[in-house]
Amino acid sequence: MIPKKVVLENFLSFGTPASTIEFADNEPLWVLGGPNGVGKSAVFDAITFCLFGCHRGGAREIDPLVRHGANGFAVSFEFQFNGTDYKVSRNRGKTSTQSVEERAGDSWKRVPNVNSVSDVAKWSEATLGVNFEAFKASVLLRQGEADAIIMAKGTERLRILKKIIGAEKYETLSSRVHDAARTKETECSQLAQQFHQVPDVTREERAAAGQAIETAEA
């Protein structure tokens, strides 16, 4: 995934008018710098909230994300994945709205059947191949948690790493191959048993069969 742009309005420390952070294509590295409280982590919270509806700690409570004194917020995240540009937008006010759009030329086209909060999260997981926890651990390591993968227990670490490298699909394929192999081995064993149960053909029976063939051909 290649981040392109993050837009924040009344989101945590960002107010009105909306603040836009663009990641130019010609820069190999971007760094967000500044003193505590200026909103560095808020940028990453906006990204995770757009994609998965979650923010720091994985909490789904939205009210703490609204800037003090505001009635709601709006955030959007543009990124490129597998050569396609996407934009995920979420708005919180009297009503909440969310959408996923795909770039089509100079305009945006809404991705169909992705409308609800859960729809967007499911689309993000299916498209990126990771859920919120794996995304946070592999891409957005929070301050003080850079060793999240290292400190995780064996089972949890394995689960995170599998999500990161997409090993689950290969495990599924491997399981299917082994199941098919076991089925074929069973069939082969059954056929072998049937073969060994077939009685031997005597020389007289072969001679009689040959004579029958000659008679039929004549």
Side-chain angles (χ1 to χ4, degrees), residues 17-212:
S19 298
T20 301
I21 300 173
E22 294 192 64
F23 303 96
D25 293 335
N26 58 348
E27 298 295 341
L29 177 67
W30 277 86
V31 176
L32 298 180
N36 291 337
V38 298
K40 301 186 299 296
S41 297
V43 175
F44 297 109
D45 279 328
I47 292 174
T48 57
F49 185 77
C50 281
L51 293 174
F52 303 103
C54 297
H55 50 93
R56 245 169 292 180
R60 291 185 178 274
E61 289 75 15
I62 299 177
D63 290 339
L65 301 177
V66 181
R67 180 178 171 85
H68 181 70
N71 296 320
F73 65 79
V75 289
S76 67
F77 175 47
E78 296 180 24
F79 63 96
Q80 184 183 94
F81 187 77
N82 281 344
T84 301
D85 288 343
Y86 296 100
K87 179 168 67 173
V88 183
S89 303
R90 293 187 189 258
N91 296 277
R92 168 75 170 180
K94 292 183 178 179
T95 59
S96 298
T97 61
Q98 47 279 319
S99 66
V100 178
E101 298 172 282
E102 178 181 334
R103 182 173 290 282
D106 295 330
S107 60
W108 293 96
K109 178 180 66 175
R110 186 154 182 164
V111 175
N113 302 320
V114 182
N115 303 304
S116 67
V117 173
S118 60
D119 286 343
V120 176
K122 290 177 181 177
W123 177 89
S124 296
E125 289 188 23
T127 301
L128 301 176
V130 293
N131 60 13
F132 169 69
E133 292 298 332
F135 185 86
K136 180 182 68 172
S138 60
V139 181
L140 304 178
L141 295 179
R142 287 162 40 199
Q143 184 175 359
E145 292 189 1
D147 56 352
I149 297 178
I150 298 175
M151 297 300 293
K153 300 296 183 182
T155 303
E156 178 63 13
R157 184 188 305 120
L158 180 61
R159 185 187 68 81
I160 293 174
L161 291 174
K162 284 180 178 179
K163 280 288 187 181
I164 294 172
I165 66 177
E168 291 178 333
K169 63 181 70 175
Y170 297 102
E171 285 188 326
T172 301
L173 177 60
S174 175
S175 177
R176 290 171 55 191
V177 169
H178 285 294
D179 289 344
R182 282 192 292 268
T183 299
K184 295 303 179 184
E185 287 176 355
T186 301
E187 293 176 357
C188 183
S189 177
Q190 292 173 348
L191 290 173
Q193 292 177 4
Q194 294 176 19
F195 174 77
H196 291 301
Q197 291 172 359
V198 175
D200 291 336
V201 180
T202 65
R203 181 179 300 176
E204 290 77 11
E205 289 174 328
R206 291 199 299 272
Q211 183 61 48

